[in-house]
Amino acid sequence: WKTNVDGSNPQNGSGYSNPEYDALSVSIISAEDPKRPLSDSAICQELASRGYDIARRTVAKYRDLANIPPATGRKQRCSTKA
């Protein structure tokens, strides 16, 4: 059976917090290029490559809980002078 990212079993609702997931998400976001921040889907793919099988909506949920804005809110625009 799959478990939710917080460690809970979707079948019985039991669970535990997963600080490792939180730390990974924050480290992935903090290492991103500020001019090209990662989307929730890209973060999901990166976590999948590290062995975490979670949905994009779960990534978005935990990003919101950590008060981290979506990619469009994290993007730093280049200022160009004419």
Side-chain angles (χ1 to χ4, degrees), residues 45-81:
Q45 290 173 353
E46 176 63 26
L47 288 167
S49 74
R50 297 180 186 198
Y52 291 86
D53 184 22
I54 61 171
R56 183 219 42 88
R57 66 184 178 276
T58 306
V59 169
K61 173 185 170 182
Y62 280 87
R63 178 187 44 71
D64 285 341
L65 288 173
N67 293 319
I68 298 171
T72 56
R74 296 190 316 267
K75 186 171 186 175
Q76 294 179 1
R77 308 237 186 304
C78 298
S79 61
T80 56
K81 295 183 180 181

Side-chain angles (χ1 to χ4, degrees), residues 3-10 13-29 39-41 43-44 47 52-70 74:
T3 57
N4 294 331
V5 70
D6 65 357
S8 64
N9 183 325
S14 65
Y16 56 91
S17 65
N18 193 339
E20 180 182 8
Y21 165 78
D22 294 335
L24 278 171
S25 295
V26 171
S27 70
I28 290 169
I29 291 171
S39 66
D40 292 338
S41 295
I43 294 169
C44 183
L47 288 167
Y52 291 86
D53 184 22
I54 61 171
R56 183 219 42 88
R57 66 184 178 276
T58 306
V59 169
K61 173 185 170 182
Y62 280 87
R63 178 187 44 71
D64 285 341
L65 288 173
N67 293 319
I68 298 171
R74 296 190 316 267

